[in-house]
Amino acid sequence: MPKDGIGAATKRREDVRFLTGNGRYTDDINLRGQAYVWFVRSQVAHGKITKLDTSDAAKMPGVIRIFTGDDFAQVGGVPCGWQVTDRHGKPMLEPKHPVLAQGKVRYVGDAIAAVVAETEAQARDAAEALVVDIEELPAVIDMKAAVKAGSPLVHEDIGSNLCYDWGFVEENKAAVDAAFAKADHVTTLELVNNRLVPNAMEPRVAVGDYDFSTDHHTLYTTSQNPHVIRLLMGAFVLGIPEHKLRVVAPDVGGGFGSKIFHYIEEAFVTFAAKQLRRPVKWTAQRSESFITDAHGRDHVTKIELALSKDGTFQAIRTETYANMGAYLSTFAPSVPTWLHGTLMAGNYRTPLIYVNVKAVFTNTVPVDAYRGAGRPEATYQLERVIDKAARELKMDPIALRRKNFVTEFPYQTPVAVVYDTGNYNATMDKLSEMADLAGFEKRRAASAAKGRLRGLGVNCYIEACGIAPSHLVGQLGARAGLYESATVRVNATGNIVVMTGSHSHGQGHETAFPQVVADLIGIPAENVEIVHGDTANTPMGMGTYGSRSLAVGGSALVKATNKIISKAKKIAAHLLEASEEDIELKEGKFSVAGTDKSVDWGSVCLAAYVPHNYPLESLEPGLEETAFYDPSNFTYPAGAYACEVEVDPDTGKVTICSFAAADDFGNIVNPMIVEGQVHGGLGQGIGQALLEGAVYDENGQLLSGSYMDYAMPRADDVPFYKVDHSCQTPCTHNPLGVKGCGEAGAIGSPPAVVNAVIDALQRGGHDVTHIDMPLSPSRVWAAMNQA
Amino acid sequence: MPKVTLRVNGREVSGEVEGRTLLVQFLRESLGMTGTHVGCDTSQCGACTVHVNGLQVKSCTTFAMDVDGAEVTTIEGMANADGSLSVIQQAFQDHHGLQCGFCTPGMVMAAAALLKDNPKPSEAEIRHHLEGNICRCTGYHNIVKAILAASGQDVSAIAAE
Ligand code: FES
Ligand code: FES
């Protein structure tokens, strides 16, 4: 194995450009003659546009053209990529999502008009001069009120604010109800999974370009999946065939889900560039990101857990209201359903589960996948209700979990998915050791001596990653396949360029993917380079999200590399005058088994491109292969997390003293990158638990719409984390045995933090059983002083 | 339009600006130096951090006109003279202190300012100093570790590779 192959903590090659200011992000792209667009956005949550007068604004300096909804009347709406079927077999309600508002605005931030001018400042100034009159309508904000009869409607034409009422597994409902009716003990918890703003540090940017001589469009955009944007925008919104549309997502400054989706601004700049025959650029202000990037989470849930006297889980029943916002974002319907309901078994053997989800339209920003997407919501409710049950039954919360762990694999859950492999006791054992759970009492006493309440929170998580088998998600309503692709191009002297359909926006593919190829062939990783992010030079791929890049994209890479190796062996056999079956590839050298005859990698590659001595009658020259990989199952990373907190009883302020994460990600390609992914997830999960919350008032104004009001985790809000991934049960159905690690930290950490705070309060004599996130000092203090 | 002249990374540059032109706009748009980033519009994120006359400032909150005649250092000026990574940059790479790289220029500039005043900061001092710099990717673990390492302190006891 080369020293920088699979398993090596290779330093990232992309860092050099990022550390020297040489990254190329979308906003760094400026095209000759480019104009700038400023969007006029609704300042009210719900209303009818009664007047839209552009005449004064059009006369302002530098203004090129002002676009309104009328310009888009003949253009398609932004499509939704997933159709959910409800409990009664009815398709979800699917409102049209226009590029610019058609007579009505539905959330603060909804785009009404777009001013294109010579400079951004001129566009902004002219936007101020635009006259818009809006007759305000009552805002639909509270989800439960929204689905009551007589509520104002976000979309009159679809007749209801209830997008769908989903039951899973509907056939199990009666059996679940019966199990609850005769259960020894039922623990019930109502909770809110707080609405979050993803807040990738790079705001969204889109630059549209058009070449009239070839009728060719180019869109530069901050996307996690340029091919998906090309398909959605080209086929559904603007009617541009793929061969006339190139989408480029260069360096992208974080995504966390929010840059998966196709946004109206992308369609606008592409459309306007053609109309104006000049490039058009849009750069979001951060305050604009807050009101236009798809938000995450926002579930209100009631969960019930039925247990026998000895603590055996018998049944789970949940009812969730999931906020869709004002329109259906690209994958929004799938998040509270297939990415959430299928995870409700967690790490446990619960024979009967029924999940009900009501997806609701409100006058708020659309909600879609954010790091974890549905799985954090599932994990949070399950791990919170288990903790509450343990307290009610006076059982140790870890012992209660262990008692119910799935221990035999494969395991068919009652919620459709089959876990291929895992070892939940092993990660729990590891956690106990690394978090020194045995020493907690001593630390608690030390905190108490300082007047602080110390608590310990432990939980497990499981996630389904590597989305996904296309035939399965097709049955579940996905309007896309979810394979991944790779083209491996071996050059004449043996170095390699890999074109991947995955996209890296912080995950380090440019470093980790070469490690895989290098390992398989036995050449140095530095001889392999990755190309990604441009539809013009990568095979059709579905992009990066859901911790899928290595599990799905990496598998395509292995497949393509294996095709290369198999062809190279044929060439080597010819050169060595041996039979193909006798050729072995080891450390970059082909040899004939049992002899000292060999030929090196470079010579074989050269022969492929200079085929003088080559079996041309049976083999094509060249050495380039493409593979598409469609997974046969999801992968199931799992782990156990522990958090210790101190609560200041005078102020309610929570301090994280320590956080430990024991994860099973299967095999690992680059442990340094894996740990970084976990750290980042933990930072976001702790942020959700303690700090972050997108809060709307009853009129639909986003109260936490800037970094002044939306508390992002900062360096002094978090500790050094202890992370471990030594428990490895390799995935059984992909060639690398990998499971994915990108979301685990964000999925597993919120319940650990909340469990720890509740534990601290309980030990401190406060009978508090639940506080909704974020656990701000005021909420914690109020809970303590009410109980 | 008024004209400003300043030294950026040791090179004299000048250009016309409006009264409202921000230093970060001047750097990115007039000079084409896109290493300095803009992550917010409320002076909170620190992606735009540069040094003006040796002091750490947010270039999104500084008018270009106000730095007429000043010495400005940006991320493009942080590598060693031979182009190799400086000690701080190298520590960020060695300890995986960056992922998407968007906050990174600001983090490096903030770290450099800290280490100039406080060559051996404690973990708490580093975390406190980074109060004005937001990173969404790393959970800060490896950024803090990289800065400790760049200051010559032993980080082997801090978990990770
Ligand atoms: S861009 Fe300057 S602080 Fe955010
Ligand atoms: S590395 Fe992405 S924001 Fe810090």
Side-chain angles (χ1 to χ4, degrees), chain A residues 201 253-254 256, chain B residues 97-104 107 134-138 143:
Chain A
M201 290 318 296
F256 316 111
Chain B
L98 62 150
Q99 291 183 24
C100 78
F102 198 80
C103 72
T104 308
M107 288 290 178
I134 305 177
C135 175
R136 193 54 151 170
C137 295
T138 63
I143 292 177

mmCIF file with all atom_site columns, all heavy atoms in Angstrom, chain A residues 201 253-254 256, chain B residues 97-104 107 134-138 143, ligand 2:
data_model
loop_
_atom_site.group_PDB
_atom_site.id
_atom_site.type_symbol
_atom_site.label_atom_id
_atom_site.label_alt_id
_atom_site.label_comp_id
_atom_site.label_asym_id
_atom_site.label_entity_id
_atom_site.label_seq_id
_atom_site.pdbx_PDB_ins_code
_atom_site.Cartn_x
_atom_site.Cartn_y
_atom_site.Cartn_z
_atom_site.occupancy
_atom_site.B_iso_or_equiv
_atom_site.pdbx_formal_charge
_atom_site.auth_seq_id
_atom_site.auth_comp_id
_atom_site.auth_asym_id
_atom_site.auth_atom_id
_atom_site.pdbx_PDB_model_num
ATOM   1   N  N   . MET A 1 201 ? -20.790 29.811 5.614  1.00 0.00 ? 201 MET A N   1
ATOM   2   C  CA  . MET A 1 201 ? -20.177 31.134 5.727  1.00 0.00 ? 201 MET A CA  1
ATOM   3   C  C   . MET A 1 201 ? -20.109 31.882 4.405  1.00 0.00 ? 201 MET A C   1
ATOM   4   O  O   . MET A 1 201 ? -20.054 33.097 4.370  1.00 0.00 ? 201 MET A O   1
ATOM   5   C  CB  . MET A 1 201 ? -18.780 31.031 6.361  1.00 0.00 ? 201 MET A CB  1
ATOM   6   C  CG  . MET A 1 201 ? -18.809 30.658 7.823  1.00 0.00 ? 201 MET A CG  1
ATOM   7   S  SD  . MET A 1 201 ? -20.100 31.512 8.764  1.00 0.00 ? 201 MET A SD  1
ATOM   8   C  CE  . MET A 1 201 ? -19.564 33.202 8.608  1.00 0.00 ? 201 MET A CE  1
ATOM   9   N  N   . GLY A 1 253 ? -18.132 27.624 -0.358 1.00 0.00 ? 253 GLY A N   1
ATOM   10  C  CA  . GLY A 1 253 ? -17.795 27.859 1.047  1.00 0.00 ? 253 GLY A CA  1
ATOM   11  C  C   . GLY A 1 253 ? -18.797 27.291 2.021  1.00 0.00 ? 253 GLY A C   1
ATOM   12  O  O   . GLY A 1 253 ? -19.449 28.003 2.771  1.00 0.00 ? 253 GLY A O   1
ATOM   13  N  N   . GLY A 1 254 ? -18.924 25.971 2.001  1.00 0.00 ? 254 GLY A N   1
ATOM   14  C  CA  . GLY A 1 254 ? -19.836 25.297 2.921  1.00 0.00 ? 254 GLY A CA  1
ATOM   15  C  C   . GLY A 1 254 ? -21.235 25.230 2.340  1.00 0.00 ? 254 GLY A C   1
ATOM   16  O  O   . GLY A 1 254 ? -21.632 26.073 1.527  1.00 0.00 ? 254 GLY A O   1
ATOM   17  N  N   . PHE A 1 256 ? -23.950 22.402 3.860  1.00 0.00 ? 256 PHE A N   1
ATOM   18  C  CA  . PHE A 1 256 ? -24.761 21.833 4.946  1.00 0.00 ? 256 PHE A CA  1
ATOM   19  C  C   . PHE A 1 256 ? -26.191 21.572 4.494  1.00 0.00 ? 256 PHE A C   1
ATOM   20  O  O   . PHE A 1 256 ? -27.118 21.602 5.297  1.00 0.00 ? 256 PHE A O   1
ATOM   21  C  CB  . PHE A 1 256 ? -24.726 22.729 6.190  1.00 0.00 ? 256 PHE A CB  1
ATOM   22  C  CG  . PHE A 1 256 ? -23.344 23.231 6.495  1.00 0.00 ? 256 PHE A CG  1
ATOM   23  C  CD1 . PHE A 1 256 ? -23.000 24.562 6.341  1.00 0.00 ? 256 PHE A CD1 1
ATOM   24  C  CD2 . PHE A 1 256 ? -22.348 22.331 6.865  1.00 0.00 ? 256 PHE A CD2 1
ATOM   25  C  CE1 . PHE A 1 256 ? -21.709 24.997 6.560  1.00 0.00 ? 256 PHE A CE1 1
ATOM   26  C  CE2 . PHE A 1 256 ? -21.056 22.760 7.080  1.00 0.00 ? 256 PHE A CE2 1
ATOM   27  C  CZ  . PHE A 1 256 ? -20.732 24.101 6.943  1.00 0.00 ? 256 PHE A CZ  1
ATOM   28  N  N   . GLY B 2 97  ? -7.126  22.709 10.111 1.00 0.00 ? 97  GLY B N   1
ATOM   29  C  CA  . GLY B 2 97  ? -7.849  23.850 10.686 1.00 0.00 ? 97  GLY B CA  1
ATOM   30  C  C   . GLY B 2 97  ? -8.785  24.533 9.706  1.00 0.00 ? 97  GLY B C   1
ATOM   31  O  O   . GLY B 2 97  ? -9.235  25.655 9.976  1.00 0.00 ? 97  GLY B O   1
ATOM   32  N  N   . LEU B 2 98  ? -9.041  23.907 8.575  1.00 0.00 ? 98  LEU B N   1
ATOM   33  C  CA  . LEU B 2 98  ? -9.976  24.507 7.622  1.00 0.00 ? 98  LEU B CA  1
ATOM   34  C  C   . LEU B 2 98  ? -10.671 23.403 6.848  1.00 0.00 ? 98  LEU B C   1
ATOM   35  O  O   . LEU B 2 98  ? -10.118 22.322 6.648  1.00 0.00 ? 98  LEU B O   1
ATOM   36  C  CB  . LEU B 2 98  ? -9.255  25.438 6.644  1.00 0.00 ? 98  LEU B CB  1
ATOM   37  C  CG  . LEU B 2 98  ? -8.183  24.820 5.732  1.00 0.00 ? 98  LEU B CG  1
ATOM   38  C  CD1 . LEU B 2 98  ? -8.110  25.569 4.419  1.00 0.00 ? 98  LEU B CD1 1
ATOM   39  C  CD2 . LEU B 2 98  ? -6.844  24.850 6.433  1.00 0.00 ? 98  LEU B CD2 1
ATOM   40  N  N   . GLN B 2 99  ? -11.882 23.688 6.443  1.00 0.00 ? 99  GLN B N   1
ATOM   41  C  CA  . GLN B 2 99  ? -12.611 22.748 5.592  1.00 0.00 ? 99  GLN B CA  1
ATOM   42  C  C   . GLN B 2 99  ? -12.990 23.438 4.277  1.00 0.00 ? 99  GLN B C   1
ATOM   43  O  O   . GLN B 2 99  ? -12.302 23.297 3.282  1.00 0.00 ? 99  GLN B O   1
ATOM   44  C  CB  . GLN B 2 99  ? -13.805 22.164 6.350  1.00 0.00 ? 99  GLN B CB  1
ATOM   45  C  CG  . GLN B 2 99  ? -13.326 21.239 7.489  1.00 0.00 ? 99  GLN B CG  1
ATOM   46  C  CD  . GLN B 2 99  ? -14.431 20.555 8.246  1.00 0.00 ? 99  GLN B CD  1
ATOM   47  O  OE1 . GLN B 2 99  ? -15.526 20.367 7.764  1.00 0.00 ? 99  GLN B OE1 1
ATOM   48  N  NE2 . GLN B 2 99  ? -14.144 20.169 9.487  1.00 0.00 ? 99  GLN B NE2 1
ATOM   49  N  N   . CYS B 2 100 ? -14.065 24.244 4.295  1.00 0.00 ? 100 CYS B N   1
ATOM   50  C  CA  . CYS B 2 100 ? -14.437 24.899 3.033  1.00 0.00 ? 100 CYS B CA  1
ATOM   51  C  C   . CYS B 2 100 ? -13.514 26.048 2.695  1.00 0.00 ? 100 CYS B C   1
ATOM   52  O  O   . CYS B 2 100 ? -13.473 26.502 1.558  1.00 0.00 ? 100 CYS B O   1
ATOM   53  C  CB  . CYS B 2 100 ? -15.877 25.385 3.080  1.00 0.00 ? 100 CYS B CB  1
ATOM   54  S  SG  . CYS B 2 100 ? -16.115 26.916 4.004  1.00 0.00 ? 100 CYS B SG  1
ATOM   55  N  N   . GLY B 2 101 ? -12.794 26.551 3.696  1.00 0.00 ? 101 GLY B N   1
ATOM   56  C  CA  . GLY B 2 101 ? -11.804 27.589 3.441  1.00 0.00 ? 101 GLY B CA  1
ATOM   57  C  C   . GLY B 2 101 ? -12.352 29.007 3.401  1.00 0.00 ? 101 GLY B C   1
ATOM   58  O  O   . GLY B 2 101 ? -11.583 29.953 3.212  1.00 0.00 ? 101 GLY B O   1
ATOM   59  N  N   . PHE B 2 102 ? -13.641 29.167 3.588  1.00 0.00 ? 102 PHE B N   1
ATOM   60  C  CA  . PHE B 2 102 ? -14.193 30.512 3.417  1.00 0.00 ? 102 PHE B CA  1
ATOM   61  C  C   . PHE B 2 102 ? -13.855 31.437 4.582  1.00 0.00 ? 102 PHE B C   1
ATOM   62  O  O   . PHE B 2 102 ? -13.546 32.612 4.383  1.00 0.00 ? 102 PHE B O   1
ATOM   63  C  CB  . PHE B 2 102 ? -15.709 30.450 3.221  1.00 0.00 ? 102 PHE B CB  1
ATOM   64  C  CG  . PHE B 2 102 ? -16.259 31.719 2.619  1.00 0.00 ? 102 PHE B CG  1
ATOM   65  C  CD1 . PHE B 2 102 ? -16.164 31.948 1.250  1.00 0.00 ? 102 PHE B CD1 1
ATOM   66  C  CD2 . PHE B 2 102 ? -16.837 32.696 3.414  1.00 0.00 ? 102 PHE B CD2 1
ATOM   67  C  CE1 . PHE B 2 102 ? -16.642 33.125 0.690  1.00 0.00 ? 102 PHE B CE1 1
ATOM   68  C  CE2 . PHE B 2 102 ? -17.323 33.880 2.854  1.00 0.00 ? 102 PHE B CE2 1
ATOM   69  C  CZ  . PHE B 2 102 ? -17.225 34.094 1.496  1.00 0.00 ? 102 PHE B CZ  1
ATOM   70  N  N   . CYS B 2 103 ? -13.882 30.902 5.794  1.00 0.00 ? 103 CYS B N   1
ATOM   71  C  CA  . CYS B 2 103 ? -13.537 31.722 6.965  1.00 0.00 ? 103 CYS B CA  1
ATOM   72  C  C   . CYS B 2 103 ? -12.030 31.843 7.132  1.00 0.00 ? 103 CYS B C   1
ATOM   73  O  O   . CYS B 2 103 ? -11.551 32.638 7.936  1.00 0.00 ? 103 CYS B O   1
ATOM   74  C  CB  . CYS B 2 103 ? -14.119 31.104 8.238  1.00 0.00 ? 103 CYS B CB  1
ATOM   75  S  SG  . CYS B 2 103 ? -13.247 29.597 8.752  1.00 0.00 ? 103 CYS B SG  1
ATOM   76  N  N   . THR B 2 104 ? -11.307 30.983 6.419  1.00 0.00 ? 104 THR B N   1
ATOM   77  C  CA  . THR B 2 104 ? -9.891  30.757 6.696  1.00 0.00 ? 104 THR B CA  1
ATOM   78  C  C   . THR B 2 104 ? -9.008  32.010 6.593  1.00 0.00 ? 104 THR B C   1
ATOM   79  O  O   . THR B 2 104 ? -8.188  32.254 7.483  1.00 0.00 ? 104 THR B O   1
ATOM   80  C  CB  . THR B 2 104 ? -9.363  29.637 5.773  1.00 0.00 ? 104 THR B CB  1
ATOM   81  O  OG1 . THR B 2 104 ? -10.235 28.511 5.916  1.00 0.00 ? 104 THR B OG1 1
ATOM   82  C  CG2 . THR B 2 104 ? -7.955  29.246 6.119  1.00 0.00 ? 104 THR B CG2 1
ATOM   83  N  N   . MET B 2 107 ? -9.474  33.866 9.673  1.00 0.00 ? 107 MET B N   1
ATOM   84  C  CA  . MET B 2 107 ? -8.934  33.147 10.834 1.00 0.00 ? 107 MET B CA  1
ATOM   85  C  C   . MET B 2 107 ? -7.405  33.300 10.894 1.00 0.00 ? 107 MET B C   1
ATOM   86  O  O   . MET B 2 107 ? -6.831  33.512 11.963 1.00 0.00 ? 107 MET B O   1
ATOM   87  C  CB  . MET B 2 107 ? -9.294  31.656 10.741 1.00 0.00 ? 107 MET B CB  1
ATOM   88  C  CG  . MET B 2 107 ? -10.752 31.360 10.982 1.00 0.00 ? 107 MET B CG  1
ATOM   89  S  SD  . MET B 2 107 ? -11.195 31.640 12.724 1.00 0.00 ? 107 MET B SD  1
ATOM   90  C  CE  . MET B 2 107 ? -12.959 31.251 12.653 1.00 0.00 ? 107 MET B CE  1
ATOM   91  N  N   . ILE B 2 134 ? -16.354 33.784 12.749 1.00 0.00 ? 134 ILE B N   1
ATOM   92  C  CA  . ILE B 2 134 ? -17.232 32.614 12.765 1.00 0.00 ? 134 ILE B CA  1
ATOM   93  C  C   . ILE B 2 134 ? -16.750 31.592 11.738 1.00 0.00 ? 134 ILE B C   1
ATOM   94  O  O   . ILE B 2 134 ? -16.427 31.947 10.609 1.00 0.00 ? 134 ILE B O   1
ATOM   95  C  CB  . ILE B 2 134 ? -18.692 32.993 12.427 1.00 0.00 ? 134 ILE B CB  1
ATOM   96  C  CG1 . ILE B 2 134 ? -19.193 34.088 13.364 1.00 0.00 ? 134 ILE B CG1 1
ATOM   97  C  CG2 . ILE B 2 134 ? -19.596 31.766 12.518 1.00 0.00 ? 134 ILE B CG2 1
ATOM   98  C  CD1 . ILE B 2 134 ? -20.603 34.566 13.050 1.00 0.00 ? 134 ILE B CD1 1
ATOM   99  N  N   . CYS B 2 135 ? -16.708 30.343 12.171 1.00 0.00 ? 135 CYS B N   1
ATOM   100 C  CA  . CYS B 2 135 ? -16.477 29.226 11.248 1.00 0.00 ? 135 CYS B CA  1
ATOM   101 C  C   . CYS B 2 135 ? -17.656 28.284 11.394 1.00 0.00 ? 135 CYS B C   1
ATOM   102 O  O   . CYS B 2 135 ? -18.037 27.937 12.503 1.00 0.00 ? 135 CYS B O   1
ATOM   103 C  CB  . CYS B 2 135 ? -15.186 28.489 11.603 1.00 0.00 ? 135 CYS B CB  1
ATOM   104 S  SG  . CYS B 2 135 ? -14.953 27.016 10.580 1.00 0.00 ? 135 CYS B SG  1
ATOM   105 N  N   . ARG B 2 136 ? -18.255 27.891 10.268 1.00 0.00 ? 136 ARG B N   1
ATOM   106 C  CA  . ARG B 2 136 ? -19.393 26.973 10.350 1.00 0.00 ? 136 ARG B CA  1
ATOM   107 C  C   . ARG B 2 136 ? -18.961 25.526 10.150 1.00 0.00 ? 136 ARG B C   1
ATOM   108 O  O   . ARG B 2 136 ? -19.748 24.620 10.360 1.00 0.00 ? 136 ARG B O   1
ATOM   109 C  CB  . ARG B 2 136 ? -20.425 27.373 9.291  1.00 0.00 ? 136 ARG B CB  1
ATOM   110 C  CG  . ARG B 2 136 ? -21.801 26.734 9.436  1.00 0.00 ? 136 ARG B CG  1
ATOM   111 C  CD  . ARG B 2 136 ? -22.427 26.930 10.802 1.00 0.00 ? 136 ARG B CD  1
ATOM   112 N  NE  . ARG B 2 136 ? -23.888 26.949 10.759 1.00 0.00 ? 136 ARG B NE  1
ATOM   113 C  CZ  . ARG B 2 136 ? -24.649 26.924 11.853 1.00 0.00 ? 136 ARG B CZ  1
ATOM   114 N  NH1 . ARG B 2 136 ? -24.100 26.866 13.067 1.00 0.00 ? 136 ARG B NH1 1
ATOM   115 N  NH2 . ARG B 2 136 ? -25.963 26.966 11.753 1.00 0.00 ? 136 ARG B NH2 1
ATOM   116 N  N   . CYS B 2 137 ? -17.726 25.312 9.689  1.00 0.00 ? 137 CYS B N   1
ATOM   117 C  CA  . CYS B 2 137 ? -17.334 23.956 9.284  1.00 0.00 ? 137 CYS B CA  1
ATOM   118 C  C   . CYS B 2 137 ? -16.607 23.144 10.349 1.00 0.00 ? 137 CYS B C   1
ATOM   119 O  O   . CYS B 2 137 ? -16.807 21.952 10.443 1.00 0.00 ? 137 CYS B O   1
ATOM   120 C  CB  . CYS B 2 137 ? -16.406 24.011 8.075  1.00 0.00 ? 137 CYS B CB  1
ATOM   121 S  SG  . CYS B 2 137 ? -17.130 24.644 6.579  1.00 0.00 ? 137 CYS B SG  1
ATOM   122 N  N   . THR B 2 138 ? -15.711 23.773 11.081 1.00 0.00 ? 138 THR B N   1
ATOM   123 C  CA  . THR B 2 138 ? -14.734 22.987 11.847 1.00 0.00 ? 138 THR B CA  1
ATOM   124 C  C   . THR B 2 138 ? -15.111 22.747 13.301 1.00 0.00 ? 138 THR B C   1
ATOM   125 O  O   . THR B 2 138 ? -14.410 22.005 13.987 1.00 0.00 ? 138 THR B O   1
ATOM   126 C  CB  . THR B 2 138 ? -13.376 23.714 11.882 1.00 0.00 ? 138 THR B CB  1
ATOM   127 O  OG1 . THR B 2 138 ? -13.570 24.969 12.580 1.00 0.00 ? 138 THR B OG1 1
ATOM   128 C  CG2 . THR B 2 138 ? -12.838 23.995 10.490 1.00 0.00 ? 138 THR B CG2 1
ATOM   129 N  N   . ILE B 2 143 ? -9.016  24.635 14.587 1.00 0.00 ? 143 ILE B N   1
ATOM   130 C  CA  . ILE B 2 143 ? -8.502  26.001 14.442 1.00 0.00 ? 143 ILE B CA  1
ATOM   131 C  C   . ILE B 2 143 ? -7.732  26.374 15.710 1.00 0.00 ? 143 ILE B C   1
ATOM   132 O  O   . ILE B 2 143 ? -6.599  26.862 15.658 1.00 0.00 ? 143 ILE B O   1
ATOM   133 C  CB  . ILE B 2 143 ? -9.655  26.994 14.180 1.00 0.00 ? 143 ILE B CB  1
ATOM   134 C  CG1 . ILE B 2 143 ? -10.274 26.726 12.800 1.00 0.00 ? 143 ILE B CG1 1
ATOM   135 C  CG2 . ILE B 2 143 ? -9.170  28.436 14.296 1.00 0.00 ? 143 ILE B CG2 1
ATOM   136 C  CD1 . ILE B 2 143 ? -11.468 27.607 12.461 1.00 0.00 ? 143 ILE B CD1 1
HETATM 137 S  S1  . FES C 3 .   ? -13.745 26.287 7.115  1.00 0.00 ? 2   FES C S1  1
HETATM 138 FE FE1 . FES C 3 .   ? -15.732 26.616 6.301  1.00 0.00 ? 2   FES C FE1 1
HETATM 139 S  S2  . FES C 3 .   ? -16.407 28.284 7.494  1.00 0.00 ? 2   FES C S2  1
HETATM 140 FE FE2 . FES C 3 .   ? -14.538 27.790 8.413  1.00 0.00 ? 2   FES C FE2 1
#
